[in-house]
DNA sequence: CTCTCTGCAAAGCATTTGCACATTG
DNA sequence: CAATGTGCAAATGCTTTGCAGAGAG
């Protein structure tokens, strides 16, 4: 994640690039799909006094600017990640592992549907849920129980 | 929604088809994407003493059997609907209206991705978020700044 | 009679918010 | 100095759960 871009985006919205916000971005840059709680831990490694409230507020701002994407899979905490490239999600229903994937062609389909319905300014996301290779081997519960 | 199918599904899992459960299914059969709260109201029209806890428990069972689908868009209550046909969602980010749409071709894309990653027993969902026609006209909080 | 289900109320989490103080420009 | 950001803690909203009694097989 390029801090300059971030700064520009923030300033443009009259937000300031504080050390807390930079730390949140750094935490997200590290990798994957993090929960607010996990981000808090990471950020506290640098700034021990940060509060969860600040994490949420920061994530909300970053999302508004479009730098962060949020995913909520019912049932538990939302997961946040930096908006790098456009991608989709492959979630293992058993171990909850989450992987990014590309899905060519979906964008056009989504745009077409949205246009037909009069929607504008759209975003779209494809989520595939199933059993990953390793969970597929284990005894686990099958689809039809 | 066919009660016989439901009953079979429930029995097969050692669950009983009680009047509360039937009422929840009837509420879902009526239409759209309901929140637990809305389902509660509908069910209370027939069974005034039903509790929210029972609604949630019932929805959870129905989901486990595959008769109900749940959607959580971060931020607010989950929405439940009967699993009738395969479809996707078009959500207005402003008024939160939710509409079902067909999306031909997505299934193949999803299957292909899943196969490539070794996933089995998959399901997939495409969610398109944007501003619906009427909200697009009003002063939105998004878009042109 | 035994096992499952229900209502109620309390508990549990994730997330949001009010407020006084700290920080930034 | 004026405006924005932060920490803390309390509040909120959705969902889950323990328990004792009710209902089904």
């Amino acid at each position: 994640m390029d801090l300059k871009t971030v700064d520009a985006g923030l300033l443009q919205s009259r937000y300031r690039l504080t050390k807390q916000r930079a730390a949140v971005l750094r935490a997200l840059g590290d990798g994957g799909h993090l929960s607010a709680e996990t981000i808090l831990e990471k950020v506290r490694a640098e700034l021990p006094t940060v509060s969860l409230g600040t994490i949420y507020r920061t994530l909300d701002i970053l999302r508004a600017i479009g730098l962060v994407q949020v995913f909520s899979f019912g049932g538990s905490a939302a997961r946040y990640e930096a908006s790098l490239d456009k991608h989709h999600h492959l979630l293992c229903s058993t171990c909850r592992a989450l992987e990014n994937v590309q899905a060519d062609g979906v964008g056009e389909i989504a745009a077409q549907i949205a246009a037909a319905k009069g929607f504008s300014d759209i975003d779209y996301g494809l989520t595939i849920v199933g059993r990953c290779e390793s969970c597929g081997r284990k005894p686990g519960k099958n689809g039809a129980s």
Side-chain angles (χ1 to χ4, degrees), chain A:
Chain A
M1 171 85 39
D2 179 359
L3 274 195
K4 286 192 185 103
T5 309
V6 175
D7 199 16
L10 287 170
L11 286 176
Q12 198 177 328
S13 317
R14 91 187 178 295
Y15 292 126
R16 293 168 184 162
L17 178 57
T18 61
K19 50 180 183 280
Q20 288 87 340
R21 289 175 184 170
V24 167
L25 282 162
R26 229 170 292 125
L28 286 169
D30 274 10
H33 312 82
L34 312 179
S35 66
E37 196 72 44
T38 306
I39 295 171
L40 177 67
E41 286 170 25
K42 288 200 169 211
V43 172
R44 279 200 167 156
E46 312 176 35
L47 302 168
T49 65
V50 192
S51 69
L52 242 193
T54 294
I55 300 293
Y56 279 113
R57 276 186 282 229
T58 299
L59 288 170
D60 194 48
I61 289 173
L62 296 174
R63 180 179 50 74
I65 303 177
L67 292 173
V68 162
Q69 279 180 260
V70 193
F71 296 92
S72 343
F73 313 98
S76 52
R79 309 231 217 147
Y80 301 80
E81 73 179 314
S83 307
L84 299 171
D85 49 356
K86 182 63 194 170
H87 64 264
H88 300 278
H89 289 118
L90 190 53
L91 173 69
C92 175
S93 53
T94 302
C95 67
R96 296 228 126 201
L98 185 55
E99 194 174 339
N100 288 351
V101 293
Q102 299 301 138
D104 295 334
V106 175
E108 288 82 59
I109 295 175
Q112 199 175 313
I113 292 170
K117 297 289 187 175
F119 271 60
S120 58
D121 200 28
I122 71 157
D123 188 21
Y124 60 93
L126 173 66
T127 301
I128 306 172
V129 186
R131 276 182 309 169
C132 69
E133 195 149 23
S134 59
C135 288
R137 298 192 213 292
K138 298 172 192 165
K141 46 163 188 183
N142 209 332
S145 46

